[in-house]
Amino acid sequence: KVKPQLEEKEGKTFDVFTAVEFKTQVVAGTNYFIKVHVGNDEFMHLRVFRSLPHENKSLSLHSYQSSKTKHDELAFF
């Protein structure tokens, strides 16, 4: 659901977009930290926010880190 948001921010299309690891952080909703394989040996770390159910909002891409590798540790950011 956040792939189009990332593609818009990056100004490119990802043929590969596969989540390989994730962590969560409970706040006033939930932050998801997701390591995503975007092709070749390239990975990105995404911070996606899911609001509380009663707010009825869709997932939003809060921030991201590019130029990551498969072995980079997925950390809160």
Side-chain angles (χ1 to χ4, degrees):
K1 292 188 175 188
V2 297
K3 180 182 177 194
Q5 295 175 49
L6 181 63
E7 289 176 334
E8 183 178 332
K9 288 180 187 259
E10 281 287 292
K12 61 184 177 181
T13 303
F14 297 105
D15 293 331
V16 176
F17 198 81
T18 307
V20 294
E21 181 183 349
F22 77 95
K23 295 180 179 183
T24 60
Q25 177 186 42
V26 176
V27 289
T30 305
N31 282 323
Y32 292 90
F33 297 87
I34 308 167
K35 182 185 292 188
V36 178
H37 178 224
V38 293
N40 300 320
D41 292 331
E42 295 179 53
F43 289 79
M44 298 182 90
H45 293 182
L46 312 182
R47 179 177 172 184
V48 176
F49 179 72
R50 173 176 279 172
S51 62
L52 295 171
H54 72 276
E55 293 178 345
N56 223 9
K57 295 180 182 176
S58 59
L59 292 174
S60 63
L61 177 63
H62 182 274
S63 56
Y64 65 95
Q65 298 174 338
S66 56
S67 302
K68 296 292 186 176
T69 68
K70 181 178 184 177
H71 302 290
D72 285 338
E73 181 182 354
L74 180 60
F76 298 129
F77 61 93

